[in-house]
Amino acid sequence: MDQRRGGGHGRRAVDEYLKDEAHSLLRGRFADDETRRSMFSATAELAYVSGWMAFDNSEHAVALQRFSIAVKLAARSGDAPLSGHILRAMAHQALDMGFRHEALQLAQASVHGQRYAAATPRERALLGVVHARALAANRHNDRAAKALLRAEDDLSNAHDGIKEPDRTFFFGEASLAHETACTLRDMGDHQRAVKEFRRSVRTRGAAFRRTHAVTLGYMGATQIAQGGVEEACATWASVLDAMEDGIYSGRARQRVVDMRHLLSPYRKRGIPAVGALDARAASYLAQVD
């Protein structure tokens, strides 16, 4: 639901279940320690989902609270890879909010010890590529490049014979390309970043509509940074196509806000594509705000 409709759709139901059902289950008695650990792990994942949906809808205080609860529950369960997964999400949130030093601390914690070592290849790749993004955001370009290569190697080692946790269902070639593109962009390599954004768009499945809109938004911003104004407009038109089809996501909406800001220097230059797109974006924001 989060991927198809965005984090602004359905989170209340998740929160009510956490409050009314999961909380009481955690306070019950367990037949054995394995059952107890499994219950805490499952509840940690649900709290993480609630946090991620809040993050996606730009409700950052709520997201941080849910992530913090999820990390504590994961620790109680003894599930190190799940702890890493949640810390990776917190690093992602910190990056989006501009807290690059905090993001790096969280990302480094996510790949520390058993959080990375005990994880499956697909999850290792996810942890590693966000670590690469955090390194790039802090201008550690050489280390970021090495982390990208390791993430690619980890994903290449994922195969059907390895049972991956369900929480990694979304992470594949398209997601790796998206995060790689963001890393390259922050390293100043816009040309390769656009190439990776295109690969992400080309390989992503139809179910991942929210992430698709975010990727296109980032790609358009990178294209206009290179001077490709009309190319960026064509990309951004696809963002609005996706948003107008019913995506409730603060992150995706922010791409539309950023789009208008980046287009502002070109509004008086008589470029037809700019005028048409800016008017469409303004109309969309007026409807959702």
Side-chain angles (χ1 to χ4, degrees):
M1 187 184 298
D2 170 59
Q3 283 287 351
R4 290 179 180 272
R5 305 288 284 176
H9 179 81
R11 201 192 81 236
R12 185 178 300 176
V14 177
D15 286 348
E16 287 299 316
Y17 187 83
L18 273 170
K19 177 182 176 182
D20 296 334
E21 303 292 338
H23 183 254
S24 62
L25 289 170
L26 292 180
R27 299 178 67 184
R29 294 189 176 187
F30 302 98
D32 50 53
D33 191 58
E34 183 179 356
T35 303
R36 180 194 65 80
R37 288 158 62 95
S38 295
M39 182 63 72
F40 273 84
S41 181
T43 309
E45 286 210 48
L46 190 61
Y48 153 75
V49 170
S50 173
W52 185 265
M53 293 176 79
F55 159 54
D56 182 62
N57 206 38
S58 300
E59 299 173 74
H60 291 295
V62 174
L64 187 57
Q65 181 190 49
R66 298 293 191 277
F67 286 149
S68 297
I69 291 170
V71 166
K72 292 175 183 177
L73 291 169
R76 288 284 300 274
S77 75
D79 191 335
L82 176 57
S83 294
H85 190 92
I86 300 162
L87 288 166
R88 178 273 322 170
M90 296 174 77
H92 196 146
Q93 180 189 26
L95 283 170
D96 273 25
M97 295 179 70
F99 299 122
R100 64 180 188 276
H101 299 303
E102 292 82 355
L104 183 55
Q105 290 177 332
L106 289 162
Q108 287 174 332
S110 77
V111 296
H112 179 72
Q114 289 298 107
R115 294 172 188 147
Y116 176 86
T120 54
R122 190 177 303 279
E123 190 150 55
R124 285 183 182 181
L126 173 57
L127 301 181
V129 79
V130 175
H131 184 214
R133 277 192 64 182
L135 287 166
N138 285 275
R139 306 293 187 265
H140 302 309
N141 288 3
D142 289 343
R143 291 170 61 194
K146 291 178 181 177
L148 282 179
L149 290 174
R150 186 172 73 166
E152 290 175 4
D153 288 343
D154 282 334
L155 188 59
S156 70
N157 288 328
H159 55 78
D160 292 341
I162 298 175
K163 181 173 174 52
E164 298 275 353
D166 291 340
R167 60 181 174 265
T168 65
F169 81 98
F170 69 92
F171 192 77
E173 181 183 358
S175 295
L176 180 66
H178 171 99
E179 300 295 352
T180 297
C182 290
T183 304
L184 292 168
R185 175 201 62 198
D186 293 346
M187 291 169 65
D189 192 344
H190 289 175
Q191 185 172 356
R192 287 177 62 204
V194 169
K195 181 179 178 181
E196 289 299 315
F197 280 133
R198 289 192 187 280
R199 181 161 72 96
S200 181
V201 169
R202 186 175 64 252
T203 56
R204 180 172 289 115
F208 303 104
R209 295 168 58 230
R210 185 271 316 282
T211 309
H212 189 66
V214 174
T215 301
L216 288 166
Y218 285 153
M219 185 167 78
T222 308
Q223 288 169 328
I224 206 168
Q226 292 181 286
V229 180
E230 293 189 354
E231 187 179 27
C233 286
T235 298
W236 280 332
S238 298
V239 176
L240 287 169
D241 289 343
M243 296 294 288
E244 290 167 350
D245 198 30
I247 293 178
Y248 304 91
S249 164
R251 284 196 299 154
R253 178 195 172 280
Q254 187 61 41
R255 304 288 72 78
V256 182
V257 173
D258 292 346
M259 171 200 314
R260 294 204 71 211
H261 174 72
L262 292 170
L263 284 174
S264 59
Y266 301 94
R267 285 186 185 132
K268 296 180 180 180
R269 298 189 184 182
I271 304 173
V274 171
L277 182 66
D278 188 57
R280 187 180 170 192
S283 176
Y284 168 77
L285 291 172
Q287 291 173 17
V288 299
D289 287 346

mmCIF file of all heavy atoms in Angstrom, residues 12 103 122 153 162 180 281 288:
data_model
loop_
_atom_site.group_PDB
_atom_site.id
_atom_site.type_symbol
_atom_site.label_atom_id
_atom_site.label_comp_id
_atom_site.label_asym_id
_atom_site.label_seq_id
_atom_site.Cartn_x
_atom_site.Cartn_y
_atom_site.Cartn_z
ATOM 1 N N ARG A 12 -3.032 5.345 9.468
ATOM 2 C CA ARG A 12 -3.836 5.322 10.684
ATOM 3 C C ARG A 12 -4.213 3.900 11.072
ATOM 4 O O ARG A 12 -4.221 3.539 12.257
ATOM 5 C CB ARG A 12 -5.109 6.171 10.503
ATOM 6 C CG ARG A 12 -5.949 6.294 11.765
ATOM 7 C CD ARG A 12 -7.161 7.174 11.527
ATOM 8 N NE ARG A 12 -6.755 8.520 11.119
ATOM 9 C CZ ARG A 12 -7.618 9.471 10.764
ATOM 10 N NH1 ARG A 12 -8.907 9.212 10.738
ATOM 11 N NH2 ARG A 12 -7.185 10.664 10.434
ATOM 12 N N ALA A 103 23.286 11.459 9.591
ATOM 13 C CA ALA A 103 22.994 10.378 8.644
ATOM 14 C C ALA A 103 24.156 9.407 8.550
ATOM 15 O O ALA A 103 23.962 8.183 8.519
ATOM 16 C CB ALA A 103 22.676 10.954 7.268
ATOM 17 N N ARG A 122 20.672 -9.397 -0.188
ATOM 18 C CA ARG A 122 19.839 -8.278 -0.643
ATOM 19 C C ARG A 122 19.784 -7.173 0.420
ATOM 20 O O ARG A 122 19.853 -5.987 0.110
ATOM 21 C CB ARG A 122 18.423 -8.771 -0.976
ATOM 22 C CG ARG A 122 17.562 -7.739 -1.692
ATOM 23 C CD ARG A 122 16.193 -8.314 -2.057
ATOM 24 N NE ARG A 122 16.306 -9.505 -2.868
ATOM 25 C CZ ARG A 122 16.518 -9.501 -4.180
ATOM 26 N NH1 ARG A 122 16.623 -8.364 -4.835
ATOM 27 N NH2 ARG A 122 16.623 -10.641 -4.857
ATOM 28 N N ASP A 153 28.036 -5.794 -5.517
ATOM 29 C CA ASP A 153 28.459 -7.191 -5.344
ATOM 30 C C ASP A 153 27.464 -7.949 -4.463
ATOM 31 O O ASP A 153 27.122 -9.110 -4.754
ATOM 32 C CB ASP A 153 29.850 -7.255 -4.719
ATOM 33 C CG ASP A 153 30.954 -6.828 -5.683
ATOM 34 O OD1 ASP A 153 30.689 -6.791 -6.901
ATOM 35 O OD2 ASP A 153 32.067 -6.525 -5.208
ATOM 36 N N ILE A 162 18.282 -18.257 -1.596
ATOM 37 C CA ILE A 162 18.494 -17.626 -0.295
ATOM 38 C C ILE A 162 17.170 -17.013 0.173
ATOM 39 O O ILE A 162 16.570 -16.208 -0.540
ATOM 40 C CB ILE A 162 19.577 -16.530 -0.384
ATOM 41 C CG1 ILE A 162 20.906 -17.143 -0.789
ATOM 42 C CG2 ILE A 162 19.709 -15.798 0.952
ATOM 43 C CD1 ILE A 162 22.006 -16.117 -1.012
ATOM 44 N N THR A 180 22.214 4.616 -6.153
ATOM 45 C CA THR A 180 23.508 4.869 -6.787
ATOM 46 C C THR A 180 23.506 6.236 -7.465
ATOM 47 O O THR A 180 24.476 7.006 -7.366
ATOM 48 C CB THR A 180 23.828 3.767 -7.812
ATOM 49 O OG1 THR A 180 23.941 2.510 -7.144
ATOM 50 C CG2 THR A 180 25.127 4.063 -8.551
ATOM 51 N N ALA A 281 1.976 22.355 -12.479
ATOM 52 C CA ALA A 281 2.470 22.084 -11.128
ATOM 53 C C ALA A 281 1.773 22.970 -10.106
ATOM 54 O O ALA A 281 1.387 22.516 -9.022
ATOM 55 C CB ALA A 281 3.980 22.304 -11.076
ATOM 56 N N VAL A 288 -3.893 20.044 -3.684
ATOM 57 C CA VAL A 288 -3.528 19.133 -2.583
ATOM 58 C C VAL A 288 -3.179 19.875 -1.299
ATOM 59 O O VAL A 288 -3.181 19.272 -0.223
ATOM 60 C CB VAL A 288 -2.351 18.217 -2.985
ATOM 61 C CG1 VAL A 288 -2.736 17.350 -4.173
ATOM 62 C CG2 VAL A 288 -1.095 19.009 -3.279
#
